[in-house]
Amino acid sequence: MSTLDLRTGVTSAPAFVSAAARFGVIEKPDLAYTPAVARETEHLHEKVRDFIPAIEWAAYAPYVHAINRLKKERNAVILAHNYQTPDIFHCVADIVGDSLQLARDATKVDAEIIIQCGVHFMAETSKLLNPDKTVLIPDAKAGCSLSESITGAEVRLLKERYPGVPVVTYVNTSAEVKAETDICCTSSNVLSVIESLDSDTVLCIPDEYLAMNVARQTNKKILTWKGHCEVHERFTAAELLAYKEANPGIEIIGHPECHPDVIAVCDFSGSTSGMINYVKDKRPDRVLLVTECSMASNIQAEVQGVDFVKPCNLCPHMKRITLPKILDSLLNMTEEVLVDPAIADRARLAVERMVNLKQ
């Protein structure tokens, strides 16, 4: 709450109080792999046994045990993107999904504290949708090449160049960019968002390949920006055709952040959730996911009888999130994600329009 000085008539903003000061700091627990810890985490190890052998589980289990205990003590919920490693995705996360699913579920969270296991723009989105909650990210340096490819100032220049053209901005952007946007989108709803706009021309930014791929599915003119995902832009059509030749009958499913030439040789293209659902529903004998490598492991832990061929392109930003850093967030209430209120109010509108859009 702001305060008014009756002598001067000047209203002052309240002093910032850190999350650590608000909630307190907890001493680091003993991280020994005791028989009790082994028993209490055994059911979780069963989920990831194919990726974390028993001899290595002794190093993971104490962190998993401590995190699951502390998040209840803190009244915290852990949101994890599909690209998180299996130990996070299957063993400590409360809510998992793609960017759209996490954005929607963030609005339904009752906990006081949200710990975002993903990249920074995802944590900002959670904060936009939960301005009164404390949002933490285990590593504030977990960025995104797409988010860093465009600034709010550049969006304003685009709006000057194309007056009246609605701006659809990929959710993989900063709050500053979202604040200059008419509506956000994700890879799973970009077509629905574009088709919902009463305009023959749409700016779809910053992912050039996503925009080019959706342009093939609509009669609207799509204006693009040269932003790319550093994971997905590394895949090539020639690489995938070589996989097909070496693995007859393999099904290739790709993420629309890939180049259109890559998508053209895929059997299916969709968001991370769409790709997961395809594998679960179709149960192909052998499949190659053209996306971040950890997702294949996460699906493999849940789907039996599917052989995954893994071209292992890892996102260096997603991999900044680790169990030790999640534990540190819970203990020390770091790193807190804050958004300037002047930016947040406008950015929130663009995200809420997306979340509330009828699919």
Side-chain angles (χ1 to χ4, degrees), residues 16 31 42 87 95 97 104 136 167 188 233 243 255 262-263 332 357:
F16 172 70
L31 294 174
E42 183 179 7
D87 54 304
I95 299 171
R104 284 175 171 161
L136 306 175
V167 180
S188 61
E233 71 175 344
Y243 274 109
H255 195 281
V262 169
I263 299 303
N332 300 303
L357 183 69

Side-chain angles (χ1 to χ4, degrees), residues 321-332:
I321 309 301
T322 63
L323 290 177
K325 290 179 182 178
I326 297 170
L327 178 60
D328 186 66
S329 281
L330 284 164
L331 294 173
N332 300 303

Side-chain angles (χ1 to χ4, degrees), residues 107-122:
T107 66
K108 306 171 186 175
V109 168
D110 292 327
E112 288 183 274
I113 299 165
I114 296 173
I115 297 181
Q116 192 86 34
C117 294
V119 292
H120 195 268
F121 78 78
M122 296 177 182

